[in-house]
Amino acid sequence: MKKHNVLITGGAGYIGSHTAVELIEAGYGVIVADNLYNSTLAAVEGVRKITGVDVPFEQVDCCDEEALRGVFERYEFDSAIHFAAYKAVGESVERPLKYYENNVGSFVVLMKLMGEFGRRNVLFSSSATVYGEARELPVTESTPRLPATSPYGNTKQICEDILRDCVASSEGGVCGISLRYFNPVGAHPSALIGELPRGVPGNLVPFITQTAAGVRAKLSIFGNDYPTPDGTALRDYIDVVDLARAHVAAVSRLVEGRAEAGYEVFNIGTGRPVSVLELVRVFEDATGVRLNYGFAPRRAGDVPAVWADVRLANEKLGWTAVSPLADTLRNAWKWEQKNS
Ligand code: UD1
């Protein structure tokens, strides 16, 4: 049987590289396109090592239409997963145009080329950030999106809308799925790929592992006066390999023509809220490393609690998050030890 190929933009990045591995292990062919702005060739090497497949890699900026057109001309594929984007929330507030130009611009170019070359399936890498401070918990896919609280979040909403509109138009000819990720954490158990934050990590788990490794002196827990059981904020931490497998399930749904509408949206999380303090405890128990931490004021822009209703993804994608949080954090620690 002919292999189905998938173009992965941003495929050298954190979630892209894990998705490449899972797609290959599920029998797909992949083409990785990445400008290496926030990623390294080592991730592509990691994917090759884990899978034993000499994955094709193209160093292109997806905003560069001619360069990306070259990739469409050189490779046969029917599906694309679009990860290529900037993701630092704080920086997006400082430099909104950088975010709109890159995150929206690259997606417009990709969608144009999908139409031009008659390639059919698009998976968009979205975020729970589109729900903002949701009024109902857990959030379902029909929980209304609220105005974004950062340009980064707005680019996710805009790209979701671009995909929806292209699917609905006669010129598009594409089918699309947006996956709204909750909080992706962890690393591949091989420790050959993982998250490589630039500078001081903004996200919790890289900050924890760097503190455990002695790279940071102390973890500040932002806020212990939230209306939650222990006063710290609640999130839905999803193992990056589970998340990668959700992409395999979504691509298969499109490829096999099982989608029930031209455009669909799925929450990808565990469905289980975990507090910052609980996560710290699980990390300490799983690794045997004690963390130096203290409480600090709430971080601007943070919501007290957000977690996913994952029934739709469970039912329609036939996918469920399975990794125990302790294993996920152990993998994050293993990856940190290799890198620091
Ligand atoms: C953040 C972004 C979200 C983005 C996601 C990508 C914001 C407001 N949201 O989600 O848009 O899609 O990252 O991964 O930036 N925490 C600490 N100490 C730290 C770091 C974090 O206590 O040093 C707490 C935070 O206050 C929060 C929780 O840990 O309650 C998770 O934080 P983080 O990993 O940054 O994710 P989100 O803020 O949920």
Side-chain angles (χ1 to χ4, degrees):
M1 204 178 82
K2 192 171 151 273
K3 241 189 190 166
H4 191 93
N5 290 332
V6 182
L7 172 69
I8 308 182
T9 74
Y14 176 41
I15 303 169
S17 57
H18 288 81
T19 299
V21 168
E22 297 307 314
L23 279 168
I24 292 165
E25 291 188 345
Y28 287 89
V30 308
I31 302 108
V32 169
D34 200 304
N35 65 358
L36 301 182
Y37 170 84
N38 194 19
S39 55
T40 63
L41 258 187
V44 181
E45 284 306 329
V47 172
R48 289 174 178 153
K49 219 165 173 179
I50 294 166
T51 60
V53 172
D54 191 18
V55 177
F57 170 69
E58 295 279 341
Q59 185 167 355
V60 295
D61 185 327
C62 296
C63 292
D64 182 340
E65 189 171 329
E66 277 321 299
L68 195 58
R69 179 172 284 109
V71 175
F72 275 74
E73 284 165 351
R74 286 193 291 282
Y75 298 93
E76 279 295 323
F77 54 87
D78 281 330
S79 307
I81 310 183
H82 188 62
F83 292 104
Y86 297 150
K87 61 175 185 180
V89 178
E91 185 192 42
S92 80
V93 177
E94 299 303 315
R95 302 187 60 193
L97 288 177
K98 173 176 171 176
Y99 277 68
Y100 288 113
E101 185 171 41
N102 183 60
N103 294 12
V104 180
S106 63
F107 194 52
V108 170
V109 167
L110 176 75
M111 292 307 296
K112 274 169 79 173
L113 293 169
M114 291 297 288
E116 186 181 318
F117 284 79
R119 312 277 169 95
R120 243 190 108 62
N121 309 314
V122 180
L123 217 61
F124 176 63
S125 166
S126 190
S127 165
T129 193
V130 301
Y131 295 115
E133 189 166 352
R135 290 188 197 104
E136 50 193 44
L137 287 168
V139 290
T140 72
E141 290 76 359
S142 46
T143 299
R145 294 186 329 190
L146 292 176
T149 52
S150 71
Y152 159 79
N154 204 19
T155 67
K156 293 296 177 193
Q157 296 197 351
I158 292 169
C159 291
E160 283 194 355
D161 293 347
I162 290 172
L163 183 53
R164 180 202 61 202
D165 294 347
C166 288
V167 167
S169 79
S170 54
E171 64 173 18
V174 291
C175 293
I177 291 180
S178 290
L179 298 182
R180 292 177 178 161
Y181 316 151
F182 282 67
N183 289 61
V185 293
H188 195 268
S190 65
L192 289 167
I193 52 173
E195 188 172 10
L196 273 182
R198 279 150 53 104
V200 182
N203 293 120
L204 180 61
V205 170
F207 205 103
I208 286 179
T209 56
Q210 288 195 7
T211 306
V215 179
R216 310 281 156 210
K218 184 178 177 181
L219 167 74
S220 293
I221 295 181
F222 301 135
N224 62 345
D225 57 351
Y226 283 113
T228 59
D230 66 18
T232 66
L234 299 172
R235 293 290 184 275
D236 185 334
Y237 297 94
I238 169 83
D239 185 279
V240 67
V241 174
D242 282 336
L243 174 59
R245 288 182 183 148
H247 293 78
V248 177
V251 168
S252 306
R253 183 172 172 86
L254 291 173
V255 168
E256 291 160 17
R258 284 184 284 111
E260 289 163 31
Y263 175 63
E264 296 180 314
V265 176
F266 296 100
N267 285 342
I268 305 297
T270 65
R272 191 169 88 85
V274 171
S275 78
V276 178
L277 213 43
E278 192 182 344
L279 189 118
V280 166
R281 301 250 154 80
V282 175
F283 178 85
E284 290 186 329
D285 288 349
T287 61
V289 182
R290 295 214 69 76
L291 268 184
N292 185 20
Y293 69 85
F295 295 109
R298 294 180 181 190
R299 182 172 70 177
D302 275 353
V303 299
V306 59
W307 71 94
D309 183 322
V310 287
R311 284 175 299 176
L312 198 67
N314 294 165
E315 205 179 296
K316 304 286 182 189
L317 297 179
W319 166 91
T320 312
V322 293
S323 308
L325 186 56
D327 291 359
T328 301
L329 296 178
R330 222 177 279 118
N331 288 334
W333 178 228
K334 200 163 140 192
W335 168 250
E336 177 70 48
Q337 286 173 296
K338 230 192 93 191
N339 286 284
S340 59

